[in-house]
Amino acid sequence: MDNTQLHTTVIEVRDYECDMQGIVNNAVYQNYLEHARHTFIKDKGLDFAVITQSGVHLVVMRAEIDYKSPLRSGMTAVVETQCRSISKFKTEFTQTITIQGDSAKTSASARFIVASISDSGRPVVFEPIKQLTS
């Protein structure tokens, strides 16, 4: 991946996102990663809600997350996001969540395949997505 595409989003871990073990529940990571992808899209000049209103839906086809080091309440993490086109209908997002602080440990790494589809569920070419990879 080209590092010029690297985008960062800061996440503050909140108490209610933690499970009984005191760590962020695995499902919450999906929320963090989705928020970072939407922020990335917005910072590239696109608006997820406007895209959807236009009849194009950017949907996750595949989600892969490797959990490495737990996040806990009060921690700050940085989500780094990059993307590349893998076909005229699909885009790959790769993301890393790093715990801020002295350790700068990787908390999770993820890969998402997102497809552009129409209201009827058919693949559709969404030309503005090229803004994400430039």
Side-chain angles (χ1 to χ4, degrees):
M1 286 265 158
D2 177 5
N3 282 338
T4 60
Q5 297 178 43
L6 189 63
H7 178 272
T8 59
T9 304
V10 176
I11 301 290
E12 300 288 334
V13 178
R14 298 163 290 215
D15 294 340
Y16 64 84
E17 297 169 325
C18 298
D19 59 22
M20 291 179 62
Q21 298 167 326
I23 60 176
V24 170
N25 182 279
N26 67 82
V28 174
Y29 282 78
Q30 290 259 6
N31 292 328
Y32 292 165
L33 295 163
E34 183 174 25
H35 173 69
R37 288 192 307 277
H38 286 215
T39 302
F40 174 78
I41 289 169
K42 186 174 184 178
D43 287 352
K44 288 286 194 165
L46 299 173
D47 184 303
F48 194 83
V50 172
I51 294 168
T52 301
Q53 291 167 359
S54 76
V56 175
H57 305 278
L58 303 178
V59 297
V60 173
M61 298 181 58
R62 175 181 296 269
E64 301 171 8
I65 304 173
D66 294 316
Y67 302 95
K68 301 181 184 287
S69 187
L71 290 171
R72 298 180 185 283
S73 180
M75 286 182 164
T76 301
V78 175
V79 183
E80 296 177 334
T81 303
Q82 295 177 300
C83 85
R84 70 181 181 99
S85 175
I86 56 175
S87 80
K88 60 185 180 178
F89 306 114
K90 297 178 190 172
T91 303
E92 176 189 57
F93 287 85
T94 55
Q95 297 178 277
T96 303
I97 300 176
T98 304
I99 302 167
Q100 274 194 323
D102 295 334
S103 63
K105 288 183 184 175
T106 298
S107 177
S109 58
R111 176 178 174 257
F112 290 85
I113 305 298
V114 174
S116 54
I117 63 171
S118 67
D119 282 332
S120 64
R122 310 280 292 166
V124 63
V125 176
F126 179 61
E127 286 296 326
I129 202 119
K130 291 178 182 175
Q131 289 176 235
L132 303 182
T133 59
S134 60

